[in-house]
Amino acid sequence: IPYSVLFNDENNRWTGGNLSFWALMGGPPEKFIGKSDYDFLPKEEADVFWARDRHVLDTGTTDVNEEDFTDSEGRQHVFSTKKAAFLDEAGHPFIVGVIRDITDLKKKEAQLLKYTEELKRSNQQLDEFAHITSHDLKEPLRGLRTQASFLAEDCADALGEEGRRRIGRIIHLIRRMEQLVSDLLWFSRLGRTELAVRKTDLGAAVDDIRHMLETFLKDER
């Protein structure tokens, strides 16, 4: 999309522009030359343009802004504008304005912001669900581990060596399940928290896997 360029005199009257600007205004140059924003735009928009143009002329500074604009068909636009003051051959100040229509970009930004907020809400709900689920799953596991521990302590003689081994295995699996539930809660937050890098004992990790698969390996023999 070409940039629109306009020229204003020291009284904020349009004195020229490129084809893109006249197409934006919705008419030939003759319709607008010598007239001002107040002749064609809503007063609240014309007030903003007039004040900023006046500031550029009075201070000689360059003004860069985003501005709302209503075209000749009543459609709303958002412009990125840059205006600067210059002097003509007679020493009279005038303004050159360069305009870029960023309406579609602003709409996409608003849509992206909406999606981002929806994603934040979804992640928050996921965190809450994972936390509640983790708590609810751990509760019966704690009960099982407590009862198994009581059984191992109070009935050790009656259980015998094999029975004690199996109870120990049950307690180990319960603890393993508790750890898996905790890991599930941690995994649900992965990517939304800072990663913690630390050294890992690979031997301990292999032993953990071996213990976890011990019963399965025995049954497969």
Side-chain angles (χ1 to χ4, degrees):
I1 298 176
Y3 285 79
S4 299
V5 180
L6 66 91
F7 300 91
N8 283 4
D9 65 15
E10 57 187 318
N11 295 312
N12 285 15
R13 294 173 300 195
W14 292 320
T15 59
N18 65 353
L19 292 177
S20 177
F21 179 70
W22 302 125
L24 183 66
M25 296 303 299
E30 295 77 15
K31 180 180 178 181
F32 303 98
I33 296 296
K35 296 183 180 179
S36 74
D37 299 320
Y38 285 102
D39 294 311
F40 299 96
L41 304 179
K43 182 179 182 303
E44 58 273 14
E45 292 180 10
D47 285 341
V48 172
F49 298 151
W50 187 281
R52 288 176 177 165
D53 287 356
R54 195 73 258 163
H55 178 74
V56 170
L57 288 168
D58 292 342
T59 64
T61 58
T62 299
D63 180 78
V64 179
N65 266 295
E66 290 185 3
E67 301 172 329
D68 295 325
F69 174 81
T70 304
D71 65 21
S72 59
E73 298 181 3
R75 294 173 298 194
Q76 299 295 314
H77 299 259
V78 180
F79 287 164
S80 173
T81 64
K82 183 175 183 179
K83 295 180 180 179
F86 299 89
L87 296 177
D88 62 18
E89 294 180 352
H92 299 297
F94 68 96
I95 286 179
V96 177
V98 179
I99 301 170
R100 179 188 175 202
D101 191 337
I102 59 172
T103 306
D104 290 340
L105 178 61
K106 299 300 287 187
K107 288 180 179 179
K108 290 177 181 178
E109 287 179 352
Q111 191 66 44
L112 180 60
L113 179 60
K114 178 183 177 182
Y115 289 152
T116 301
E117 292 300 320
E118 290 176 352
L119 182 59
K120 286 181 180 178
R121 286 194 296 270
S122 177
N123 286 339
Q124 182 178 358
Q125 292 171 356
L126 178 60
D127 282 343
E128 293 172 354
F129 174 77
H131 180 76
I132 293 172
T133 302
S134 174
H135 179 272
D136 289 347
L137 289 176
K138 283 184 175 181
E139 185 62 31
L141 289 175
R142 282 192 290 267
L144 287 172
R145 178 160 52 85
T146 299
Q147 294 302 317
S149 297
F150 286 160
L151 184 62
E153 293 174 3
D154 298 342
C155 305
D157 294 338
L159 289 171
E161 182 178 351
E162 180 62 18
R164 290 193 297 271
R165 188 187 69 80
R166 290 183 179 276
I167 288 293
R169 180 62 181 164
I170 290 173
I171 293 174
H172 172 77
L173 291 175
I174 291 172
R175 287 174 177 164
R176 177 63 182 167
M177 187 62 188
E178 288 176 331
Q179 184 60 49
L180 288 174
V181 172
S182 296
D183 290 346
L184 178 63
L185 177 61
W186 178 85
F187 185 76
S188 70
R189 296 172 178 168
L190 192 63
R192 299 192 297 279
T193 58
E194 185 176 351
L195 293 178
V197 180
R198 64 184 182 185
K199 292 183 178 180
T200 300
D201 185 344
L202 295 180
V206 172
D207 286 341
D208 189 37
I209 295 172
R210 182 175 59 81
H211 288 310
M212 183 173 58
L213 298 176
E214 183 179 4
T215 300
F216 171 78
L217 294 175
K218 285 183 178 180
D219 291 341
E220 288 297 310
R221 289 175 182 172

